[in-house]
Amino acid sequence: MSAPPAASERPPAPAKPPRRPGDVVFSGLSTASAFSILLILAGVAIFLISKALPVFGADPAEVTGGEGFLSYVWPLVFGTLVASLIAMLVATPVAVGIALFVSHYAPKRLGTAVGFVIDLLAAVPSVVFGMWGFQVFAPKLVPLFGWLEEHLGFLPFFESASRTGRTLLTASLVLAVMILPIVTSVSREVFLQTPRLHEEAALALGATQWEMIRTAVLPFGRPGVIGGTMLGLGRALGETMAVAIILSPGVFTWNLIDTGNTTVPAEIALNFPEAAGLRLSELIAAGLVLFGITLAVNLAARAVVERRAEFSGAN
Amino acid sequence: MSKRIDVKNLDIYYGDFHAVKSVSMTIEPRSVTAFIGPSGCGKSTVLRTLNRMHEVIPGAHVTGEVLMDDRNLYAKETDPVDVRRQVGMVFQRPNPFPTMSIRENVLAGVSLNSKRLSKSAADELLEQSLRGANLWTEVKDRLDRPGAGLSGGQQQRLCIARAIAVQPEVILMDEPCSALDPISTLAIEDLINELKSDYTVVIVTHNMQQAARVSDRTGFFNLEATGMPGELVEMDDTPKIFSNPSKKATEDYISGRFG
Ligand SMILES: Nc1ncnc2c1ncn2[C@@H]1O[C@H](COP(=O)(O)OP(=O)(O)OP(=O)(O)O)[C@@H](O)[C@H]1O
Ligand SMILES: [Mg+2]
């Protein structure tokens, strides 16, 4: 601690550039926002963990199912993962196809119109998807399930078909429709950003339109498509209403086309209102597990994107 | 492996805009032809009509003929993809595919155009193309590194290697050295000199010394006023254009008395 320099003295050697008031205010505000999000996140985590703790210490016999938390939670996790994965596998190729159509094949007007409709789809609330899936889509799927049972019934996934269509596969397909807009619009954005120079490089080598897309557009857009898919997967993993309405829940089964299985969010939504004590802890712990899964999925996606960062062209 | 190009009464448009007026010229095989002229006079535009890259731009079209050894590139039955396989192109800014390694970049065109190559055939073509572009010794130890990690001059030579790997008849270059330092520029000029023993080369350049150094024939393009279409003023042997051009506009331009 030295005395403040006299007014006439020059400031010490590496003079800091003057800080303007606007900068000070804005950097203060943005720093505060950044810290508040961390605080909120920490608060949520602490809440989840502290409320979930009792279940881990509890007597296994007292947990729902009577065999401890792990055996309670894994079928839920299985249902969640299977539904989300099917949704992702179905939605991604369709989304990439639509995005390519809009960005590279369609005449400008038509492309814009299709893009607009897809964006509208994103604005439909999930309850509406749930009701539609329950009322319209599920009954329509019943014949398909019958066909699957008949021809692929030797696989454990298609052993016996439901009469109502309210199955995990139905929920997965509705989830696919729900995540389609986000995957599509992210993919479309990155495809549109493909540098003209690279597209022309491919064309000048004698690439057809599709070959140009394969050599220039898709590799360039790959990280974006992965990012969009992960956003969609995140939405599918956490989707509550649609699944809760469509699926008629039940115990674990490999069979995807009959009643049975459920997902973590649906389980929580359906049981939370009446839950208390240990049951409440169970549900919260299940939520914590879902939180962990989502985090892991996102980290994995990042790793995939960064593994070939050198080749990304972002330089 | 090199062809003669005859351009006949070619008019070039961007939508309604008439960019270049009635060009007729002959480009000799196994020679280097340079296009010079002030900015905006349509050099790049003309160059891009020679491999039908012009029409990639929405609304762009041409009237007239471009004959390559008597085959009209603009005939109805001609597939532009075929044309581009025979007429390679190197752009003003180096544009290796960023997601590909050096090796994949060189072989990009081949893997599009043809059946699968065996590993040894691919290796051979890779080395031959990189040697052809004077890049082999610099990159032979890092063929699997990203092409975008090379220096600008090396990237441009990589693009040349990529263009010659498909064994075209003609190579078009649009100001291939404008983004490069003098040493890389020299390397590319040497390369152009070697390329002309196998290919027909057409190069656009703003650098008149460069045109004088590398080309056998030079075409001078000009435009009378902004908004007017550009035109080919004259085309002749390079020494003649630079010492004794037949048009006044050419002389003004090369002696720096332009505009
Ligand atoms: N994509 C395009 N759309 C519309 N007009 C264009 C386009 N590209 C070029 N033009 C116009 O065509 C004319 C010729 O352009 P071009 O790029 O061929 O000139 P250039 O001689 O290559 O110029 P430079 O030496 O600056 O590269 C110019 O008037 C230009 O504005
Ligand atoms: Mg140009």
Side-chain angles (χ1 to χ4, degrees):
Chain A
M1 288 256 175
S2 60
S8 65
E9 254 177 68
R10 298 188 147 238
K16 281 193 181 168
R19 301 260 289 153
R20 298 181 199 274
D23 281 348
V24 174
V25 170
F26 189 75
S27 83
L29 279 178
S30 59
T31 313
S33 326
F35 274 104
S36 66
I37 187 79
L38 284 181
L39 274 180
I40 293 172
L41 204 65
V44 170
I46 290 171
F47 159 81
L48 280 180
I49 294 172
S50 68
K51 293 282 182 179
L53 267 184
V55 94
F56 298 111
D59 176 3
E62 285 175 23
V63 177
T64 308
E67 289 171 42
F69 179 67
L70 271 188
S71 5
Y72 163 71
V73 85
W74 80 256
L76 301 178
V77 169
F78 171 85
T80 313
L81 286 180
V82 167
S84 308
L85 275 174
I86 294 178
M88 189 180 92
L89 291 180
V90 172
T92 305
V94 179
V96 168
I98 299 174
L100 279 178
F101 175 76
V102 171
S103 64
H104 283 82
Y105 283 101
K108 216 173 179 118
R109 287 252 191 82
L110 181 60
T112 319
V114 172
F116 183 69
V117 171
I118 294 284
D119 286 345
L120 277 186
L121 208 57
V124 177
S126 53
V127 183
V128 174
F129 275 114
M131 294 186 300
W132 171 76
F134 176 86
Q135 289 276 341
V136 182
F137 195 49
K140 290 247 155 55
L141 283 179
V142 173
L144 172 72
F145 292 166
W147 185 90
L148 282 174
E149 180 189 9
E150 196 175 318
H151 294 91
L152 294 169
F154 55 90
L155 293 172
F157 318 115
F158 305 125
E159 250 170 7
S160 67
S162 142
R163 295 286 168 78
T164 59
R166 298 179 59 197
T167 72
L168 194 65
L169 190 57
T170 312
S172 313
L173 294 178
V174 172
L175 284 177
V177 177
M178 293 175 67
I179 66 176
L180 194 63
I182 180 78
V183 187
T184 306
S185 69
V186 173
S187 307
R188 179 192 54 193
E189 281 318 305
V190 287
F191 291 160
L192 282 174
Q193 279 166 18
T194 313
R196 180 112 205 120
L197 210 57
H198 297 140
E199 296 183 3
E200 291 201 342
L203 289 175
L205 283 173
T208 59
Q209 176 84 352
W210 163 238
E211 287 168 335
M212 182 275 279
I213 285 171
R214 239 183 35 207
T215 16
V217 180
L218 290 180
F220 179 85
R222 188 171 157 274
V225 173
I226 294 177
T229 306
M230 288 306 136
L231 281 176
L233 188 59
R235 178 159 187 207
L237 284 170
E239 177 50 44
T240 314
M241 274 327 287
V243 180
I245 295 176
I246 294 168
L247 190 61
S248 109
V251 295
F252 166 76
T253 160
W254 282 109
N255 190 346
L256 300 178
I257 56 170
D258 202 350
T259 48
N261 288 325
T262 185
T263 70
V264 177
E267 168 85 359
I268 296 176
L270 294 175
N271 295 293
F272 201 75
E274 296 110 60
L278 189 62
R279 182 76 180 117
L280 188 63
S281 293
E282 276 171 31
L283 293 178
I284 291 178
L288 192 63
V289 171
L290 183 65
F291 181 66
I293 292 174
T294 320
L295 210 66
V297 164
N298 271 304
L299 289 179
R302 252 165 218 255
V304 172
V305 172
E306 266 161 30
R307 197 164 46 102
R308 277 172 64 94
E310 279 186 306
F311 286 86
S312 73
N315 49 14
Chain B
M1 249 213 332
S2 70
K3 292 200 167 169
R4 163 199 176 91
I5 301 176
D6 283 296
V7 178
K8 291 186 181 159
N9 296 320
L10 194 67
D11 280 279
I12 313 176
Y13 303 84
Y14 289 101
D16 295 334
F17 176 57
H18 192 180
V20 180
K21 182 173 75 180
S22 186
V23 173
S24 296
M25 64 182 166
T26 298
I27 292 166
E28 300 290 343
R30 289 173 201 274
S31 71
V32 179
T33 302
F35 292 171
I36 60 170
S39 189
C41 65
K43 306 177 295 293
S44 306
T45 304
V46 172
L47 193 75
R48 288 166 60 96
T49 57
L50 301 182
N51 65 343
R52 295 196 62 172
M53 280 300 284
H54 176 65
E55 66 206 49
V56 175
I57 295 162
H61 59 105
V62 307
T63 63
E65 289 187 342
V66 177
L67 303 176
M68 206 165 92
D69 280 3
D70 299 326
R71 171 176 167 229
N72 185 3
L73 300 188
Y74 283 92
K76 274 221 172 55
E77 64 276 10
T78 309
D79 180 357
V81 168
D82 276 344
V83 173
R84 294 179 200 135
R85 285 176 188 182
Q86 289 183 33
V87 185
M89 183 157 205
V90 177
F91 295 78
Q92 179 167 1
R93 275 178 52 207
N95 57 353
F97 295 116
T99 52
M100 295 185 187
S101 67
I102 292 173
R103 181 190 164 87
E104 290 163 336
N105 259 291
V106 175
L107 299 177
V110 193
S111 43
L112 293 178
N113 292 359
S114 58
K115 53 287 158 196
R116 321 206 99 257
L117 282 180
S118 71
K119 170 98 169 62
S120 61
D123 283 341
E124 196 173 314
L125 180 64
L126 175 69
E127 176 168 350
Q128 180 195 327
S129 309
L130 283 170
R131 280 193 194 283
N134 285 340
L135 190 60
W136 174 251
T137 45
E138 286 157 75
V139 301
K140 66 173 190 287
D141 301 321
R142 46 174 167 156
L143 295 170
D144 291 317
R145 307 288 304 149
L150 298 173
S151 78
Q154 290 171 328
Q155 286 185 26
Q156 194 64 300
R157 279 179 281 152
L158 179 60
C159 294
I160 295 177
R162 180 176 69 186
I164 60 185
V166 293
Q167 289 157 342
E169 315 277 353
V170 179
I171 298 180
L172 310 176
M173 301 187 176
D174 193 352
E175 301 184 43
C177 305
S178 66
L180 306 183
D181 69 293
I183 302 211
S184 311
T185 300
L186 269 185
I188 301 233
E189 287 182 7
D190 287 346
L191 179 56
I192 293 172
N193 249 319
E194 291 166 23
L195 289 178
K196 79 172 177 191
S197 52
D198 289 322
Y199 305 94
T200 306
V201 180
V202 185
I203 173 174
V204 172
T205 176
H206 269 289
N207 178 330
M208 278 183 275
Q209 285 84 15
Q210 181 169 66
R213 279 193 299 264
V214 302
S215 72
D216 304 301
R217 299 202 21 109
T218 298
F220 171 63
F221 288 79
N222 201 358
L223 77 179
E224 278 160 23
T226 40
M228 299 277 287
E231 59 190 334
L232 176 64
V233 175
E234 64 175 311
M235 182 165 210
D236 213 329
D237 290 338
T238 300
K240 174 131 192 311
I241 290 277
F242 282 99
S243 59
N244 184 20
S246 39
K247 297 274 168 56
K248 173 102 172 31
T250 317
E251 188 170 354
D252 287 352
Y253 183 73
I254 57 168
S255 58
R257 260 180 285 141
F258 183 78

